[in-house]
Amino acid sequence: MIRSSYIRLSTAQKTKVYDMYARFFRWASERMHDDGVLAFVTNRSFVESRTFDGFRKAVAEEFNEIYVVDLGGDVRANPKLSGTKHNIFGIQTGVAISFMVKRRKQKGCKIFYTRRDEYDTAEDKLSFLGSSRLSGLSFERIEPDKQGNWINLAENDWERSVPLVIEGSQGRRNRKTSVFDLSPNSIKTNRDDWVYDFSRAEIERKCRFFIDRFNAQGSVRDNSQLDYSIKWSSSLKASLGQLCFDPGLVIRSHWRPFVSRFYYSEKGMSDRLTENHFKMYGRSLRSFNFVIAIQAAPLAKPFSAFAVEGAMDYHLIGDAVCLPLYCYTSTGERVDNITDWGLKQFRDHYGKAEKITKEDIFHYIYPPRRRTREAVRDSSLVDNTRFLLA
C-alpha cells in the first residue's frame, strides 16, 4: 500500500518512505474506521523532507484534520544543536508528535502546525509536554502548496524545471528523463606537476623521467622500497609494469578558466582517466566536442558554469562535472549526448518539431558569445525555459 499511496503521489527521485515509521503510519491508516484519531511520536522528516512529499499529499487526502507538534532537535540539519542537550530522546534525528483525525461528516483537510524553539533544551521540551494540553496550544493553519509542502513555502514553479542530468542514470537512455545522457567528472590527474606544463619540451622531459623511475620499480613488491622521487597513488602502485613515452599522447587541455596547458594523457599516469573520458573525446582525447562544465555537489563556492571545446581538468572551475554535446562510440562514431526525451520537451514546448535540433538545445543552455554562430539557428528559443540539476 505504500507504493500505491505515498510513493505514487511523490515526485522525489529517491524515496525512503519504506522506513519503519512510514510503515506504521500506513498500517494504522488502513485499519482506521470513518471516525478516529491516529497519534504517533516519530522522526520529524515527514514535515518537510522532499522524500515525503507523497506522504504529505496522501495523509491530506485520507484525514480531515492533522495536528503536528514539531519538537525539533534535528542535529543532522543543524550541527549547532547537541543530541544530548536539545533532543528529547538524546538522538541525532528530530522528533515530532502528530495527531491525524478522521471525521466522516467533514470534507477536506485542515492542517495545523506548531514548533518549539530551535534551541530549547530537552528539559524545556519535556516540561512543555508535561504541562500542556493539545487544546491549549497555539497552532498555525497550514495551506499546502501544489507540491505538497507544508512549511518553508516559496512562490516558484521549480518542479516544472527540466532536469539537465539525473545522478545515477547515466547510460540508461531508455529510462532517461533529463536533457543530457552522459555526465562524467572531468579528468582528475592527482599529479598535475608531472603531467601538465606550459612547455611541450618540459612536459616531455618530466614524463620521460617519471616513466624511467616507474619502470625501474617493476620488481618491487614492498611499497616502502618504492622510489618516492615520483608521485605514487594506489592505482599506480597496483599497475606496476612498463610504460613507454609516446609523443602522440601530449595534447592540449583546459586546466583553469582561460588557461590551457599541455597534458600527457597516458591513462596510468592520471589517477582518474576513465572510459567515460574516451567517450567524450575519442580514444585519442582529441576528437571535437563542446563541453559545459558545472560544479559537482556539494558546492564549496558559488555555483558557476564554463564551456570549452576539448579536454578539461577536474579543477577547471572547482570539481567539474561535464555535460558534453556529443559522445563517441568504441568505433569512433559520433553520437548525440542530448537525449530524445530532452529534444521532445523543447519541441513540445515551442511547437517547432522540425526546426529545433539537439545542437540548438546545447547552445541555448550555454549560449555562445557570438550569436551568429551557425549552431544557433532559431532565435525563437527565448529565455523562458529553466533547468534543474537533480
Side-chain angles (χ1 to χ4, degrees):
M1 292 302 294
I2 286 179
R3 180 177 293 278
S4 62
S5 57
Y6 304 158
I7 294 177
R8 177 180 62 83
L9 295 171
S10 177
T11 60
Q13 297 296 334
K14 297 180 180 179
T15 179
K16 295 182 180 177
V17 288
Y18 286 108
D19 287 355
M20 290 309 299
Y21 81 88
R23 293 172 186 256
F24 294 148
F25 270 114
R26 187 68 268 163
W27 185 90
S29 298
E30 293 298 318
R31 286 158 178 77
M32 285 190 66
H33 295 291
D34 293 336
D35 292 305
V37 179
L38 178 62
F40 273 125
V41 180
T42 65
N43 182 324
R44 69 169 298 278
S45 62
F46 75 88
V47 175
E48 60 182 333
S49 169
R50 167 74 183 278
T51 301
F52 280 83
D53 62 339
F55 172 89
R56 291 189 291 273
K57 294 174 187 176
V59 295
E61 291 179 356
E62 296 173 14
F63 294 89
N64 303 111
E65 293 176 14
I66 297 174
Y67 297 85
V68 177
V69 181
D70 189 347
L71 299 174
D74 191 339
V75 179
R76 295 187 179 94
N78 185 355
K80 293 182 180 180
L81 300 179
S82 164
T84 55
K85 182 178 179 181
H86 298 101
N87 190 291
I88 60 169
F89 295 129
I91 58 178
Q92 302 287 302
T93 304
V95 178
I97 304 174
S98 54
F99 302 89
M100 301 191 180
V101 184
K102 281 188 178 182
R103 301 182 190 275
R104 75 179 73 186
K105 296 182 179 180
Q106 186 171 318
K107 302 296 183 182
C109 181
K110 298 177 182 178
I111 303 173
F112 302 92
Y113 175 81
T114 187
R115 174 166 183 154
R116 298 299 301 169
D117 185 270
E118 180 79 350
Y119 294 97
D120 272 3
T121 65
E123 184 178 346
D124 293 333
K125 295 171 184 176
L126 291 171
S127 175
F128 157 76
L129 293 174
S131 60
S132 302
R133 297 175 63 88
L134 186 65
S135 59
L137 298 182
S138 177
F139 285 93
E140 174 190 358
R141 174 74 181 273
I142 296 295
E143 294 292 345
D145 63 18
K146 58 186 177 182
Q147 283 79 42
N149 296 312
W150 286 358
I151 63 174
N152 302 323
L153 303 181
E155 293 293 330
N156 61 58
D157 57 352
W158 191 250
E159 298 298 327
R160 296 176 56 197
S161 298
V162 181
L164 284 181
V165 60
I166 297 177
E167 183 181 6
S169 64
Q170 297 180 31
R172 302 178 184 178
R173 284 183 171 271
N174 60 328
R175 297 169 56 187
K176 222 31 176 161
T177 54
S178 60
V179 175
F180 290 91
D181 180 26
L182 188 72
S183 57
N185 291 336
S186 300
I187 297 170
K188 184 188 296 185
T189 74
N190 281 345
R191 51 176 63 83
D192 284 13
D193 289 345
W194 289 100
V195 298
Y196 276 110
D197 207 280
F198 290 108
S199 165
R200 178 183 286 272
E202 183 62 16
I203 199 170
E204 179 172 343
R205 184 195 66 79
K206 291 192 300 186
C207 289
R208 287 188 182 277
F209 176 88
F210 187 101
I211 289 171
D212 288 343
R213 294 300 177 95
F214 173 79
N215 288 342
Q217 310 303 302
S219 60
V220 175
R221 292 293 176 264
D222 185 348
N223 288 341
S224 64
Q225 298 178 16
L226 291 174
D227 182 351
Y228 282 92
S229 63
I230 60 176
K231 184 174 181 180
W232 294 90
S233 62
S234 57
S235 60
L236 197 63
K237 290 175 182 177
S239 62
L240 283 174
Q242 292 292 305
L243 296 176
C244 294
F245 181 78
D246 181 355
L249 296 180
V250 179
I251 65 171
R252 276 284 188 180
S253 177
H254 296 274
W255 185 63
R256 296 295 182 269
F258 310 107
V259 177
S260 66
R261 301 177 78 180
F262 288 105
Y263 164 59
Y264 187 63
S265 58
E266 160 60 49
K267 186 175 182 180
M269 291 177 63
S270 288
D271 202 41
R272 292 293 184 273
L273 183 56
T274 69
E275 285 301 311
N276 280 336
H277 298 119
F278 297 123
K279 289 180 182 178
M280 281 197 293
Y281 307 117
R283 301 310 300 181
S284 67
L285 298 184
R286 298 174 186 269
S287 297
F288 169 79
N289 211 345
F290 282 129
V291 182
I292 301 171
I294 59 175
Q295 288 170 272
L299 300 181
K301 53 186 178 182
F303 177 81
S304 61
F306 196 78
V308 300
E309 178 185 334
M312 72 174 75
D313 185 74
Y314 184 63
H315 299 295
L316 176 74
I317 57 171
D319 298 355
V321 172
C322 299
L323 304 177
L325 173 59
Y326 303 114
C327 285
Y328 289 86
T329 67
S330 58
T331 59
E333 178 188 3
R334 191 174 78 185
V335 297
D336 292 316
N337 188 47
I338 290 178
T339 63
D340 293 339
W341 180 91
L343 179 63
K344 184 177 185 300
Q345 307 312 301
F346 274 81
R347 288 181 171 177
D348 288 350
H349 181 80
Y350 290 106
K352 299 190 176 186
E354 296 181 356
K355 289 186 177 181
I356 298 175
T357 68
K358 292 181 178 180
E359 193 170 347
D360 291 332
I361 295 171
F362 182 90
H363 290 292
Y364 170 74
I365 293 171
Y366 195 101
R369 293 176 62 188
R370 296 181 180 177
R371 299 298 295 175
T372 57
R373 189 177 190 89
E374 182 182 355
V376 185
R377 302 183 181 92
D378 193 341
S379 60
S380 66
L381 291 182
V382 293
D383 294 341
N384 64 355
T385 301
R386 297 187 295 110
F387 299 91
L388 169 68
L389 303 178

